[in-house]
């Protein structure tokens, strides 16, 4: 009697191999879809991050180009980049979430033990505004939280 595989064994092996192949193809498809979503989100969040770094109260409730926001800080000489930034329009809205104050009286550091209680000199109060910036672009809407020093 010859030893070999029966028809049933070959069919079962073929089914197992095809199921494993389909699972690998599905994983590849899912990974490709996830990478495209991550790339899309990161490309949309980069301009909003730039806006958060250069936020200004005068931009609130206005439509600005990315060039208008960055021009005060950077000297942009590349014409292609300048055109791209001018074409990138943003509806800028900000909302005050909270004002945070820091002063010497509130600190509980060990350094406060070294400060003389008789001293009349008080440390200046430092204030930050925690704001939410909502930026609408052609690609969609993004929001970011940032802190701005109050002067």
């Amino acid at each position: 009697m010859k030893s070999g595989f029966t028809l049933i064994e070959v069919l079962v092996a073929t089914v197992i191999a095809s199921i494993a192949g389909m699972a690998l193809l599905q994983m590849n498809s899912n990974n490709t879809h996830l990478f495209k979503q991550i790339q899309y989100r990161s490309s949309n969040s980069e301009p909003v991050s730039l806006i958060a770094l250069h936020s200004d109260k005068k931009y609130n409730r206005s439509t600005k180009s990315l060039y208008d926001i960055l021009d005060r800080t950077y000297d942009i000489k590349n014409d292609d980049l300048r055109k791209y930034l001018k074409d990138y329009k943003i509806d800028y809205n900000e909302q005050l979430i909270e004002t945070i104050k820091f002063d010497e009286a509130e600190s509980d550091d060990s350094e406060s033990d070294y400060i003389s209680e008789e001293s009349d000199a008080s440390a200046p109060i430092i204030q930050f505004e925690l704001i939410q910036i909502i930026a609408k672009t052609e690609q969609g809407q993004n929001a970011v939280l940032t802190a701005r020093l109050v002067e």
Side-chain angles (χ1 to χ4, degrees), residues 35-52 66 84 88-91 133-144:
F35 284 132
K36 284 183 181 179
Q37 277 189 334
I38 290 170
Q39 183 181 17
Y40 174 76
R41 287 184 181 178
S42 68
S43 68
N44 286 339
S45 64
E46 288 171 357
V48 177
S49 299
L50 281 171
I51 293 167
L66 198 52
Y84 172 78
Y88 201 101
K89 301 292 183 192
I90 297 166
D91 291 333
I133 297 174
I134 301 169
K136 292 180 187 175
T137 63
E138 292 176 357
Q139 289 81 15
Q141 177 175 322
N142 286 309
V144 67

Side-chain angles (χ1 to χ4, degrees), residues 65-121:
S65 71
L66 198 52
Y67 179 79
D68 295 334
I69 295 170
L70 299 177
D71 185 42
R72 294 184 336 165
T73 309
Y74 304 106
D75 184 25
I76 303 169
K77 295 182 181 183
N78 185 324
D79 290 336
D80 293 334
L81 179 61
R82 189 179 301 137
K83 182 181 181 331
Y84 172 78
L85 294 174
K86 284 183 179 181
D87 290 341
Y88 201 101
K89 301 292 183 192
I90 297 166
D91 291 333
Y92 181 96
N93 290 305
E94 66 179 51
Q95 178 181 1
L96 178 65
I97 304 296
E98 186 176 355
T99 301
I100 303 167
K101 296 180 184 180
F102 296 102
D103 63 356
E104 190 62 37
E106 294 176 3
S107 71
D108 293 331
D109 295 336
S110 60
E111 293 179 15
S112 63
D113 296 339
Y114 300 112
I115 298 174
S116 171
E117 293 180 12
E118 298 172 4
S119 173
D120 290 336

